[in-house]
Amino acid sequence: MKIGLFGGSFNPPHEGHRLVAHESLKRIGLDAVWWLVTPGNPLKDTRTLAPIGERVAAARGLTNDPRIKITGFEAQYGFRYTYETLRFLKTRLPDRHFVWIMGADSLAGFHRWERWEEIFTLMPIAVYIRPGSTRTGPFSKAAQRFARYRIDEADARLLPTSRVPAWVFLNGMMSSLSSTQLRNGR
């Protein structure tokens, strides 16, 4: 089974998140996408963070696709960092082929994430284009560090079973929606 792991605050979840999930299912040839609603991002101000139960419920209300599963399990296990979550899932479910999914805006600051280089060696990564990130994402510190492991977008379906490190930058349909803008009423 090929599963995309799409983590984030989802504060609030929106159509752009659903677009990334559906495009990832199709373009990477995934069987499922699990949205990992985080209890909080250590690199962001959490004062405006809605309770995790509300964010999980809102995400579930956004899609009825049976291939998309919404979970807040990181809070139950007390995981603070993405690395902890990914290592746990790979250990617990060794028969699955996982792919970490993130937006290109996240790739731009990925080098600030806890154990970011090790994340690249845990599982393949799919980076989806975001408005304003076509120049920053692919040329970020993380992208440069792992440039030789980038696979061609035309080979994205090979990603789930690729030897790590491996990553792909996916261009395609974009949504201009952003959780920050929605929270601020823009």
Side-chain angles (χ1 to χ4, degrees), residues 37-39 52 56 60 71-80 88:
V37 181
T38 65
I52 192 163
V56 168
R60 286 182 178 149
T71 178
F73 90 94
E74 288 178 303
Q76 296 166 342
Y77 282 90
F79 296 144
R80 183 168 157 82
F88 173 83

Side-chain angles (χ1 to χ4, degrees), residues 15-100:
E15 292 296 324
H17 295 127
R18 189 168 72 168
L19 170 72
V20 170
H22 282 127
E23 285 296 302
S24 296
L25 283 161
K26 180 173 60 175
R27 307 265 307 277
I28 305 169
L30 299 171
D31 299 305
V33 172
W34 296 352
W35 290 19
L36 308 176
V37 181
T38 65
N41 181 332
L43 297 174
K44 292 183 179 177
D45 182 358
T46 58
R47 288 179 289 186
T48 60
L49 196 60
I52 192 163
E54 288 179 22
R55 292 180 284 128
V56 168
R60 286 182 178 149
L62 196 59
T63 182
N64 61 0
D65 188 325
R67 300 170 300 168
I68 298 175
K69 306 292 183 205
I70 314 297
T71 178
F73 90 94
E74 288 178 303
Q76 296 166 342
Y77 282 90
F79 296 144
R80 183 168 157 82
Y81 299 108
T82 298
Y83 175 81
E84 296 170 315
T85 302
L86 303 185
R87 185 184 62 205
F88 173 83
L89 289 171
K90 277 203 56 126
T91 302
R92 260 311 157 89
L93 304 167
D95 59 329
R96 307 313 199 286
H97 295 282
F98 290 112
V99 173
W100 176 247

Side-chain angles (χ1 to χ4, degrees), residues 145-168:
R145 164 69 178 83
F146 289 93
R148 67 183 170 144
Y149 302 106
R150 182 176 172 181
I151 67 171
D152 190 87
E153 186 174 5
D155 295 325
R157 286 184 167 268
L158 301 175
L159 190 65
T161 56
S162 293
R163 186 173 179 208
V164 290
W167 68 285
V168 67

